[in-house]
């Protein structure tokens, strides 16, 4: 079958109340606009109400009992590597539901076939002169579902969640562990820098200019990730912080009309 005609998988997840169904629906609209090849769109959720009919909703895995964690939580992403999850087979591109799709997506499937591909996590601007550690950001990653390599990531998760010496991996979230497990089980490639953009790291102006300049709209990326603050609603409304607050002032941003436009009209 010609690569352009091969059906691929796009996967997302939703749980809790922070991300209503319209996040999934808008993500689907962005993918449908920017992905030329046929695709299967799957949402892992136990709350499918309100999700558009083009999206195939599948149940999240049962609680694997990560210590001191309620379920579901961010570690659910590691269960997606399990062989047989949602009967997924072949190239599978995962997106967090709070990303903006802004450009072509087919290249995310043709890039480094067979590798695990993930964002190389951005370094905070105050650490700009430090070398980035080999840690991914799981807002956007690709794997080949149904393979031994992918299932191995899941097996590593089951094994290592019981190891007291690795508790810090699980306290900090899933990204460090996921990247570590992918390096153990296969080749890992970072997405090209120009394909995926961090809103707070690359769009919001440096402090103190973020106080009077609107975040810039990048021209090249296919994906804009909103990790931490400001999230999409805060970027649209404006996100204001003050000295001494938990959220440092360099994360503040003015109301950003282009985010509103892209979010409401994917």
């Amino acid at each position: 079958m010609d690569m352009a005609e091969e059906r691929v998988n796009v996967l997302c997840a939703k749980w809790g109340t922070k991300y209503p169904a319209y996040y999934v629906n808008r993500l689907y609209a962005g993918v449908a606009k920017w992905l030329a090849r046929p695709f299967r769109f799957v949402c892992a959720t136990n709350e499918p109400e309100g999700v558009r009919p083009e999206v195939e909703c599948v149940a999240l895995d049962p609680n694997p009992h990560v210590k001191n964690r309620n379920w579901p939580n961010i570690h659910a992403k590691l269960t997606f590597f399990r062989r047989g999850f949602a009967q997924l087979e072949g190239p599978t591109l995962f997106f967090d539901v709070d990303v903006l799709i802004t450009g072509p997506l087919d290249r995310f499937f043709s890039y480094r076939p067979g590798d695990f591909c993930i964002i190389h996590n951005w370094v905070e601007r105050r650490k700009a002169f430090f070398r980035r550690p080999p840690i991914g950001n799981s807002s956007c990653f690709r794997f080949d579902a149904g393979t031994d390599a992918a299932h191995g990531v899941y097996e590593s998760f089951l094994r290592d969640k019981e190891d007291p010496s690795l508790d810090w991996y699980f306290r900090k979230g899933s990204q460090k562990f996921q990247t570590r497990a992918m390096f153990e089980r296969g080749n890992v490639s970072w997405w090209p820098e120009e394909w995926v953009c961090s809103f707070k790291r690359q769009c919001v102006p440096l402090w103190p200019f973020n106080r009077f300049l609107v975040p810039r709209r990048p021209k090249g990326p296919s994906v804009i990730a909103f990790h931490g603050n400001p999230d999409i609603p805060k970027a649209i409304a404006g996100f204001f912080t003050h000295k001494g607050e938990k959220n440092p002032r360099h994360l503040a941003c003015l109301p950003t009309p282009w985010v509103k436009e892209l979010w409401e009209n994917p």
Side-chain angles (χ1 to χ4, degrees):
M1 180 181 293
D2 186 89
M3 178 62 74
E5 298 177 355
E6 179 186 5
R7 191 172 83 147
V8 294
N9 306 306
V10 179
L11 175 64
C12 70
K14 180 180 84 71
W15 59 81
T17 58
K18 183 174 182 180
Y19 301 111
Y22 63 77
Y23 275 79
V24 178
N25 297 340
R26 289 174 177 177
L27 178 62
Y28 175 87
V31 170
K33 176 179 179 179
W34 290 105
L35 183 59
R37 67 189 72 193
F39 64 93
R40 176 189 177 199
F41 194 105
V42 175
C43 177
T45 183
N46 293 335
E47 300 163 342
E49 296 80 9
V51 175
R52 60 192 296 167
E54 299 94 333
V55 175
E56 181 182 345
C57 291
V58 300
L60 292 158
D61 269 7
N63 190 348
H65 303 294
V66 177
K67 289 182 233 177
N68 303 317
R69 289 276 189 163
N70 294 323
W71 189 258
N73 60 54
I74 196 65
H75 293 96
K77 290 183 182 181
L78 295 162
T79 68
F80 304 156
F81 292 89
R82 175 178 63 79
R83 185 183 285 110
F85 181 83
Q87 288 74 56
L88 289 169
E89 295 283 342
T92 301
L93 183 62
F94 176 89
F95 288 118
D96 279 343
V97 293
D98 58 340
V99 302
L100 291 178
I101 307 298
T102 58
L105 294 177
D106 288 85
R107 57 187 178 175
F108 286 79
F109 289 99
S110 57
Y111 182 73
R112 303 285 177 90
D115 283 7
F116 293 110
C117 295
I118 192 168
I119 302 164
H120 196 181
N121 208 8
W122 299 279
V123 173
E124 292 187 30
R125 285 166 171 172
R126 62 188 176 86
K127 299 179 181 178
F129 296 104
F130 289 79
R131 184 178 179 181
R132 277 192 286 182
I135 296 170
N137 179 294
S138 60
S139 298
C140 173
F141 63 89
R142 193 198 71 213
F143 63 102
D144 283 349
T147 61
D148 290 343
H151 189 72
V153 173
Y154 173 70
E155 290 180 324
S156 293
F157 167 57
L158 295 184
R159 179 196 69 208
D160 290 347
K161 72 182 180 65
E162 305 298 333
D163 185 342
S165 69
L166 297 175
D167 280 353
W168 69 280
Y169 273 108
F170 295 96
R171 288 198 305 271
K172 291 290 186 180
S174 68
Q175 295 184 146
K176 286 184 178 179
F177 176 82
Q178 179 179 329
T179 313
R180 173 178 177 270
M182 291 193 303
F183 272 108
E184 280 185 349
R185 301 293 182 161
N187 295 322
V188 178
S189 291
W190 309 121
W191 295 124
E193 294 284 334
E194 63 273 19
W195 290 9
V196 186
C197 173
S198 163
F199 179 77
K200 69 179 178 182
R201 300 280 181 246
Q202 296 164 286
C203 299
V204 175
L206 289 168
W207 185 86
F209 302 104
N210 57 333
R211 292 290 185 172
F212 53 87
L213 293 177
V214 173
R216 71 177 187 89
R217 179 173 177 174
K219 296 189 176 181
S222 294
V223 180
I224 302 176
F226 292 78
H227 48 114
N229 278 320
D231 59 17
I232 291 176
K234 290 172 182 173
I236 292 172
F239 181 57
F240 303 99
T241 65
H242 302 280
K243 188 175 181 180
E245 288 185 343
K246 183 178 179 181
N247 291 303
R249 55 190 178 179
H250 70 268
L251 295 180
C253 74
L254 294 177
T256 311
W258 61 263
V259 172
K260 177 178 172 67
E261 176 191 347
L262 291 171
W263 178 233
E264 295 182 353
N265 301 284

